[in-house]
Amino acid sequence: MGAGVTMQLSAPIRPIRSIHVVAEGQTQTPAEDEARRLRAELDSTRAQVQGMVRQLDEAAAQIRAFQEEQLHGCRDQVIRLAVGIAERILLKQIASGEYDIERIVTTALEQAPTGRKIVVRLHPADLETLRRLVADGGAEALQHIEMVADPQLGRAECVVDSEQVTLEHRVDEHLRQIEQALKAGGTP
């Protein structure tokens, strides 16, 4: 047999490319393996981030709903407080006689339908005030209106009775209307 050939190399031989058989007809290098692994990891991370974003969106929606609920609750409290303050001021003015009963009755009469017979019922002290105004030549719009005392009514309140309708102008009803208008976002 023949003699073998011996070669002496100055440096070890390094493979230029390492080839792995993946499937029949396909080859894959370690770099391709790494790229595939990194893509899979990136896809997994992307899916996790998208899931976290969905969770954050849901949490933000819940926070907005909670905030809206709290603001609505505070709004109702502020409205009740405002109406309560208005009521205290109004009742103090009524107790001290600081109101215009002529204007109150005139406004009530403007809302009443015209008819042959209109009777205005008033608190006895308010009736006395209006009678003095009429006697002194004031309260012209009330000169020919029948006015009677009604001790069931509070001061600064009146009831207008006509043939068609009865209109009550009461302090607590006006305060209720103001509260409803504020809750509806309108003006009383």
Side-chain angles (χ1 to χ4, degrees):
M1 295 238 296
V5 177
T6 307
M7 285 185 12
Q8 199 166 17
L9 300 171
S10 61
I13 297 177
R14 282 187 262 147
I16 297 174
R17 182 172 143 179
S18 171
I19 299 177
H20 301 283
V21 176
V22 175
E24 195 173 317
Q26 293 182 334
T27 59
Q28 185 173 345
T29 65
E32 290 172 327
D33 281 342
E34 182 66 11
R36 185 168 277 126
R37 185 188 67 74
L38 289 174
R39 272 193 300 277
E41 191 176 309
L42 179 63
D43 290 344
S44 173
T45 302
R46 185 176 291 133
Q48 288 175 347
V49 168
Q50 288 172 343
M52 286 184 220
V53 168
R54 277 192 300 276
Q55 288 176 343
L56 285 173
D57 285 344
E58 290 170 8
Q62 289 173 352
I63 289 171
R64 281 190 297 274
F66 176 75
Q67 182 183 26
E68 188 66 33
E69 180 181 309
Q70 293 301 309
L71 287 174
H72 184 70
C74 289
R75 182 177 179 274
D76 286 348
Q77 289 175 354
V78 168
I79 289 171
R80 282 192 302 274
L81 181 62
V83 171
I85 291 170
E87 180 180 25
R88 282 186 157 194
I89 292 170
L90 188 58
L91 292 178
K92 183 179 178 185
Q93 288 176 331
I94 290 170
S96 65
E98 298 175 27
Y99 59 94
D100 185 354
I101 191 62
E102 178 185 2
R103 186 174 59 91
I104 292 169
V105 172
T106 303
T107 301
L109 287 170
E110 289 171 357
Q111 296 173 1
T114 56
R116 285 186 251 170
K117 181 168 176 147
I118 292 180
V119 177
V120 177
R121 293 185 281 139
L122 302 152
H123 184 275
D126 290 340
L127 177 62
E128 187 58 38
T129 300
L130 280 179
R131 284 187 176 157
R132 274 195 307 259
L133 279 170
V134 170
D136 291 342
E140 292 178 24
L142 306 177
Q143 297 275 339
H144 304 290
I145 302 293
E146 182 181 351
M147 296 181 285
V148 297
D150 184 345
Q152 300 297 317
L153 293 172
R155 306 250 343 239
E157 297 181 334
C158 69
V159 175
V160 177
D161 292 315
S162 73
E163 293 172 342
Q164 295 93 2
V165 70
T166 297
L167 298 171
E168 295 186 0
H169 288 265
R170 298 182 181 262
V171 172
D172 59 341
E173 178 59 22
H174 286 290
L175 289 169
R176 188 188 65 73
Q177 290 172 0
I178 289 169
E179 182 176 3
Q180 286 179 338
L182 289 172
K183 285 182 178 179
T187 56

